[in-house]
Short mmCIF file of all heavy atoms in Angstrom, two decimals:
data_model
loop_
_atom_site.label_atom_id
_atom_site.label_comp_id
_atom_site.label_asym_id
_atom_site.label_seq_id
_atom_site.Cartn_x
_atom_site.Cartn_y
_atom_site.Cartn_z
N MET M 73 -81.72 61.27 52.19
CA MET M 73 -83.01 61.95 52.00
C MET M 73 -82.95 63.46 52.26
O MET M 73 -83.16 64.26 51.35
CB MET M 73 -84.08 61.30 52.88
CG MET M 73 -84.45 59.90 52.44
SD MET M 73 -85.53 59.04 53.64
CE MET M 73 -86.82 60.22 53.89
N LEU M 74 -82.69 63.85 53.51
CA LEU M 74 -82.81 65.27 53.88
C LEU M 74 -81.83 66.16 53.13
O LEU M 74 -82.20 67.26 52.70
CB LEU M 74 -82.66 65.44 55.39
CG LEU M 74 -83.81 64.89 56.23
CD1 LEU M 74 -83.52 65.03 57.72
CD2 LEU M 74 -85.12 65.59 55.89
N LYS M 75 -80.57 65.73 53.01
CA LYS M 75 -79.60 66.55 52.28
C LYS M 75 -80.05 66.80 50.84
O LYS M 75 -79.92 67.90 50.31
CB LYS M 75 -78.22 65.91 52.30
CG LYS M 75 -77.43 66.20 53.57
CD LYS M 75 -76.04 65.60 53.50
CE LYS M 75 -75.26 65.85 54.77
NZ LYS M 75 -74.67 67.19 54.83
N SER M 76 -80.62 65.75 50.21
CA SER M 76 -81.09 65.87 48.82
C SER M 76 -82.30 66.77 48.73
O SER M 76 -82.42 67.58 47.80
CB SER M 76 -81.43 64.49 48.26
OG SER M 76 -80.30 63.66 48.29
N ILE M 77 -83.21 66.62 49.67
CA ILE M 77 -84.46 67.41 49.63
C ILE M 77 -84.19 68.88 49.91
O ILE M 77 -84.67 69.77 49.19
CB ILE M 77 -85.49 66.85 50.63
CG1 ILE M 77 -85.97 65.46 50.19
CG2 ILE M 77 -86.68 67.79 50.80
CD1 ILE M 77 -86.72 64.68 51.25
N VAL M 78 -83.43 69.17 50.97
CA VAL M 78 -83.22 70.56 51.40
C VAL M 78 -82.19 71.27 50.52
O VAL M 78 -82.39 72.40 50.10
CB VAL M 78 -82.84 70.63 52.89
CG1 VAL M 78 -82.55 72.06 53.32
CG2 VAL M 78 -83.94 70.01 53.75
N GLY M 79 -81.06 70.63 50.28
CA GLY M 79 -80.04 71.20 49.41
C GLY M 79 -79.46 72.53 49.89
O GLY M 79 -79.17 73.42 49.08
N ARG M 80 -79.26 72.67 51.18
CA ARG M 80 -78.75 73.92 51.74
C ARG M 80 -77.27 74.10 51.44
O ARG M 80 -76.47 73.19 51.64
CB ARG M 80 -78.97 73.92 53.25
CG ARG M 80 -78.71 75.24 53.93
CD ARG M 80 -78.99 75.15 55.43
NE ARG M 80 -79.17 76.46 56.01
CZ ARG M 80 -79.33 76.67 57.31
NH1 ARG M 80 -79.34 75.66 58.16
NH2 ARG M 80 -79.48 77.89 57.78
N VAL M 81 -76.92 75.28 50.98
CA VAL M 81 -75.53 75.60 50.64
C VAL M 81 -74.72 75.75 51.93
O VAL M 81 -75.23 76.21 52.95
CB VAL M 81 -75.48 76.92 49.82
CG1 VAL M 81 -74.04 77.31 49.50
CG2 VAL M 81 -76.28 76.76 48.54
N ARG M 82 -73.46 75.34 51.89
CA ARG M 82 -72.58 75.44 53.06
C ARG M 82 -72.44 76.90 53.50
O ARG M 82 -72.38 77.81 52.66
CB ARG M 82 -71.20 74.88 52.73
CG ARG M 82 -71.20 73.38 52.46
CD ARG M 82 -71.23 72.60 53.73
NE ARG M 82 -71.32 71.16 53.48
CZ ARG M 82 -71.25 70.24 54.42
NH1 ARG M 82 -71.10 70.58 55.68
NH2 ARG M 82 -71.35 68.96 54.11
N PRO M 83 -72.36 77.14 54.81
CA PRO M 83 -72.34 78.53 55.30
C PRO M 83 -71.15 79.34 54.82
O PRO M 83 -71.28 80.54 54.56
CB PRO M 83 -72.32 78.37 56.82
CG PRO M 83 -71.90 76.96 57.09
CD PRO M 83 -72.36 76.17 55.91
N TYR M 84 -69.97 78.71 54.69
CA TYR M 84 -68.79 79.48 54.28
C TYR M 84 -68.92 80.00 52.85
O TYR M 84 -68.16 80.87 52.44
CB TYR M 84 -67.51 78.65 54.45
CG TYR M 84 -67.50 77.33 53.71
CD1 TYR M 84 -67.23 77.26 52.36
CD2 TYR M 84 -67.78 76.15 54.39
CE1 TYR M 84 -67.23 76.04 51.69
CE2 TYR M 84 -67.78 74.93 53.74
CZ TYR M 84 -67.51 74.88 52.38
OH TYR M 84 -67.52 73.67 51.72
N GLU M 85 -69.90 79.48 52.09
CA GLU M 85 -70.11 79.95 50.72
C GLU M 85 -71.03 81.17 50.65
O GLU M 85 -71.04 81.88 49.65
CB GLU M 85 -70.69 78.82 49.86
CG GLU M 85 -69.72 77.66 49.67
CD GLU M 85 -70.31 76.54 48.83
OE1 GLU M 85 -71.36 76.74 48.20
OE2 GLU M 85 -69.71 75.45 48.82
N VAL M 86 -71.82 81.39 51.72
CA VAL M 86 -72.82 82.47 51.64
C VAL M 86 -72.78 83.48 52.80
O VAL M 86 -73.27 84.59 52.64
CB VAL M 86 -74.26 81.88 51.53
CG1 VAL M 86 -74.46 81.19 50.20
CG2 VAL M 86 -74.58 80.94 52.67
N VAL M 87 -72.22 83.09 53.94
CA VAL M 87 -72.21 84.02 55.08
C VAL M 87 -71.05 84.99 54.91
O VAL M 87 -69.88 84.59 54.88
CB VAL M 87 -72.09 83.26 56.42
CG1 VAL M 87 -71.99 84.25 57.58
CG2 VAL M 87 -73.28 82.33 56.62
N SER M 88 -71.38 86.26 54.81
CA SER M 88 -70.38 87.29 54.58
C SER M 88 -69.37 87.36 55.73
O SER M 88 -69.76 87.46 56.90
CB SER M 88 -71.09 88.63 54.42
OG SER M 88 -70.15 89.65 54.20
N GLY M 89 -68.09 87.24 55.40
CA GLY M 89 -67.03 87.34 56.39
C GLY M 89 -66.64 86.01 57.04
O GLY M 89 -65.64 85.95 57.76
N LEU M 90 -67.42 84.95 56.80
CA LEU M 90 -67.12 83.66 57.42
C LEU M 90 -66.05 82.92 56.61
O LEU M 90 -66.16 82.79 55.39
CB LEU M 90 -68.38 82.79 57.51
CG LEU M 90 -68.18 81.41 58.16
CD1 LEU M 90 -67.85 81.55 59.65
CD2 LEU M 90 -69.42 80.54 57.97
N GLN M 91 -65.02 82.47 57.30
CA GLN M 91 -63.97 81.68 56.67
C GLN M 91 -63.97 80.30 57.31
O GLN M 91 -64.03 80.17 58.53
CB GLN M 91 -62.61 82.34 56.86
CG GLN M 91 -62.51 83.69 56.19
CD GLN M 91 -61.18 84.37 56.47
OE1 GLN M 91 -60.47 84.03 57.41
NE2 GLN M 91 -60.84 85.34 55.64
N ARG M 92 -63.90 79.29 56.47
CA ARG M 92 -63.87 77.92 57.01
C ARG M 92 -62.46 77.58 57.46
O ARG M 92 -61.48 78.18 57.01
CB ARG M 92 -64.35 76.91 55.98
CG ARG M 92 -63.38 76.67 54.85
CD ARG M 92 -63.82 75.56 53.90
NE ARG M 92 -62.77 75.27 52.97
CZ ARG M 92 -62.58 75.91 51.82
NH1 ARG M 92 -63.41 76.88 51.47
NH2 ARG M 92 -61.57 75.60 51.04
N VAL M 93 -62.38 76.60 58.36
CA VAL M 93 -61.10 76.04 58.78
C VAL M 93 -61.01 74.67 58.13
O VAL M 93 -61.88 73.83 58.31
CB VAL M 93 -61.01 75.91 60.32
CG1 VAL M 93 -59.70 75.25 60.73
CG2 VAL M 93 -61.17 77.27 60.98
N GLY M 94 -59.97 74.43 57.35
CA GLY M 94 -59.83 73.13 56.70
C GLY M 94 -60.42 73.10 55.30
O GLY M 94 -60.71 74.14 54.71
N ASN M 95 -60.61 71.88 54.82
CA ASN M 95 -61.05 71.68 53.43
C ASN M 95 -62.52 72.00 53.22
O ASN M 95 -63.33 71.91 54.15
CB ASN M 95 -60.80 70.22 53.01
CG ASN M 95 -59.33 69.87 53.05
OD1 ASN M 95 -58.48 70.72 52.81
ND2 ASN M 95 -59.02 68.63 53.37
N ALA M 96 -62.86 72.31 51.97
CA ALA M 96 -64.25 72.51 51.59
C ALA M 96 -64.97 71.16 51.57
O ALA M 96 -64.35 70.12 51.34
CB ALA M 96 -64.32 73.16 50.21
N GLU M 97 -66.26 71.19 51.83
CA GLU M 97 -67.08 69.98 51.80
C GLU M 97 -67.69 69.84 50.41
O GLU M 97 -67.94 70.83 49.72
CB GLU M 97 -68.18 70.07 52.86
CG GLU M 97 -67.67 70.26 54.27
CD GLU M 97 -67.09 69.00 54.89
OE1 GLU M 97 -67.47 67.90 54.47
OE2 GLU M 97 -66.27 69.13 55.82
N THR M 98 -67.98 68.60 50.01
CA THR M 98 -68.47 68.37 48.66
C THR M 98 -69.98 68.21 48.58
O THR M 98 -70.55 68.24 47.49
CB THR M 98 -67.82 67.10 48.06
OG1 THR M 98 -68.08 65.99 48.93
CG2 THR M 98 -66.33 67.28 47.89
N ASP M 99 -70.65 68.02 49.73
CA ASP M 99 -72.10 67.84 49.70
C ASP M 99 -72.80 69.06 50.31
O ASP M 99 -72.16 70.06 50.61
CB ASP M 99 -72.51 66.54 50.41
CG ASP M 99 -72.09 66.52 51.88
OD1 ASP M 99 -71.35 67.42 52.31
OD2 ASP M 99 -72.51 65.61 52.59
N THR M 100 -74.12 68.94 50.49
CA THR M 100 -74.88 70.06 51.03
C THR M 100 -74.81 70.09 52.56
O THR M 100 -74.31 69.15 53.18
CB THR M 100 -76.34 69.98 50.56
OG1 THR M 100 -76.89 68.72 50.93
CG2 THR M 100 -76.44 70.15 49.05
N SER M 101 -75.36 71.14 53.13
CA SER M 101 -75.13 71.43 54.55
C SER M 101 -76.15 70.83 55.51
O SER M 101 -75.79 70.44 56.62
CB SER M 101 -75.10 72.94 54.73
OG SER M 101 -74.70 73.30 56.02
#
């Protein structure tokens, strides 16, 4: 429910300078 309704993009995709550790996630945040 909530992931579908909110649909927030993962932070590493939008926060300037943020790098993720490990693999990218396939769903919303």
Side-chain angles (χ1 to χ4, degrees):
M73 291 172 51
L74 291 176
K75 277 183 181 280
S76 300
I77 293 166
V78 177
R80 190 179 199 185
V81 178
R82 294 281 176 174
Y84 56 80
E85 294 179 13
V86 291
V87 176
S88 179
L90 181 67
Q91 296 176 341
R92 72 174 188 274
V93 176
N95 298 329
E97 302 284 336
T98 57
D99 60 351
T100 56
S101 188

